Amino acid sequence: DISCVIARSNVVLLSATESASGLVSTFGIYRSTNSGASFQQISTLTGQPNGLPYGRAHVLIGVPNNLSVLYTVLMARGGGTNGVYKSSDMGVTWTKVSNAAIDNLLPNCGDGVRMSATINSVVYIGISDSNNGGIVHVFRSADGGSTWMDLGLAQTSEASPTSVYISFVVMALFADPGNPNVVYVGGGDD
């Protein structure tokens, strides 16, 4: 299954979470430099030569004001490392940028992970924690993934706020394009 497609002129990237054959070696990120006429898988068993290991790629996002910067979240398979990975060169090379708190939540989130980026290198990630009843943890990076702040559990905005339960599949996270200090988290029980 293809989870996302990003096009930047003649460069096209796509993220894959599943394959018909179930082969781990087919998960991950694929890149085209000829407008999608052909694709090369850039996720590899060892993560070499570009820094991206095999894994289910549930998220692939771009930064609105810097078309070269991309992020993906990999659920590693075959010896890779779970995490948030960043590319600053339209997907040619990747670096793991997540911290231990994010990495530790990823194995328990199923498909419940979403990211959104704003201007000025602000990035948000929301992770649904199946070990905690699907409650969503939200993290924010103000420096393009170099450091992450745990914003805690997503809360509703009613007079008596409660933690937000989000099912694994029905989840959305969107950073406000006009205010990088605001993020919206939504979803529900499927």
Side-chain angles (χ1 to χ4, degrees):
D1 295 343
I2 295 173
S3 58
C4 187
V5 175
I6 291 181
R8 303 281 196 248
S9 186
N10 64 328
V11 176
V12 180
L13 288 101
L14 64 86
S15 55
T17 59
E18 298 286 341
S19 69
S21 61
L23 293 174
V24 170
S25 61
T26 61
F27 301 155
I29 303 295
Y30 290 77
R31 186 172 188 268
S32 170
T33 56
N34 56 13
S35 301
S38 62
F39 284 87
Q40 176 184 3
Q41 185 178 15
I42 57 176
S43 311
T44 65
L45 178 62
T46 63
Q48 298 302 320
N50 56 23
L52 200 60
Y54 285 144
R56 288 188 167 95
H58 291 282
V59 175
L60 178 63
I61 66 166
V63 174
N65 63 333
N66 187 341
L67 300 181
S68 295
V69 177
L70 305 165
Y71 294 88
T72 190
V73 176
L74 288 182
M75 310 307 190
R77 300 290 188 266
T81 302
N82 289 334
V84 177
Y85 290 81
K86 176 183 179 179
S87 173
S88 297
D89 55 13
M90 284 200 284
V92 175
T93 59
W94 296 81
T95 303
K96 186 176 172 293
V97 296
S98 52
N99 63 21
I102 292 171
D103 295 347
N104 290 336
L105 285 170
L106 290 175
N108 301 318
C109 75
D111 292 339
V113 60
R114 302 292 184 267
M115 286 187 78
S116 187
T118 70
I119 59 172
N120 302 325
S121 302
V122 177
V123 183
Y124 290 92
I125 184 169
I127 305 170
S128 179
D129 183 2
S130 65
N131 287 340
N132 194 17
I135 301 298
V136 176
H137 295 262
V138 179
F139 296 84
R140 179 182 190 269
S141 174
D143 54 14
S146 294
T147 60
W148 294 90
M149 177 188 297
D150 185 348
L151 300 181
L153 302 176
Q155 299 286 311
T156 60
S157 60
E158 292 96 24
S160 299
T162 59
S163 294
V164 177
Y165 164 83
I166 306 282
S167 96
F168 293 140
V169 178
V170 187
M171 177 181 172
L173 181 132
F174 182 73
D176 189 318
N179 184 348
N181 295 315
V182 175
V183 64
Y184 302 96
V185 180
D189 190 359
D190 63 346

